Amino acid sequence: MKTLRHQTLVYDKDCPLCRAYTAGFVKTGMLDENGRLPYADLNAESCAFVDADRARNEIALIDHKSKTVTYGIDSLLKVLGHSMPFKPNPLEVNLKNPA
């Protein structure tokens, strides 16, 4: 399984499901050890390019190298799709903005 490095999922620390799946992504190696962060712990650097209103309602995946953010189901699919060992990867799709 390939690890998605330099990316962080922002999650609601008061949500048991959110805590469980983000911890699972780190534990299984889908995300590196810095791959999850509670929404309340966002720092000023990350807040500069994260849409705070959108991140409250949609799962935000911060790419620290490109300083971009993926939201919602696309965030989860990016994590899952990166970890799958086959190509082309059926999980690498954009459900909100299909081509």
Side-chain angles (χ1 to χ4, degrees):
M1 192 173 300
K2 293 180 0 182
T3 301
L4 189 58
R5 300 194 183 283
H6 310 291
Q7 308 225 9
T8 304
L9 273 176
V10 181
Y11 70 99
D12 179 357
K13 70 179 180 180
D14 296 325
C15 167
L17 180 61
C18 301
R19 288 193 316 264
Y21 77 77
T22 57
F25 285 164
V26 173
K27 185 175 181 177
T28 60
M30 291 178 155
L31 291 170
D32 64 21
E33 62 278 352
N34 298 314
R36 63 193 286 252
L37 179 74
Y39 179 79
D41 294 347
L42 275 175
N43 60 32
E45 181 185 346
S46 295
C47 283
F49 55 91
V50 172
D51 180 338
D53 290 329
R54 194 167 176 193
R56 276 190 205 104
N57 299 311
E58 298 180 62
I59 300 157
L61 179 66
I62 302 170
D63 182 328
H64 296 284
K65 285 192 171 188
S66 68
K67 305 289 190 215
T68 58
V69 184
T70 306
Y71 296 93
I73 189 68
D74 293 329
S75 298
L76 295 178
L77 291 177
K78 186 173 182 179
V79 173
L80 294 170
H82 184 81
S83 300
M84 299 300 165
F86 53 88
K87 294 288 180 191
N89 193 325
L91 294 177
E92 290 178 353
V93 295
N94 186 329
L95 294 180
K96 292 195 175 186
N97 300 311

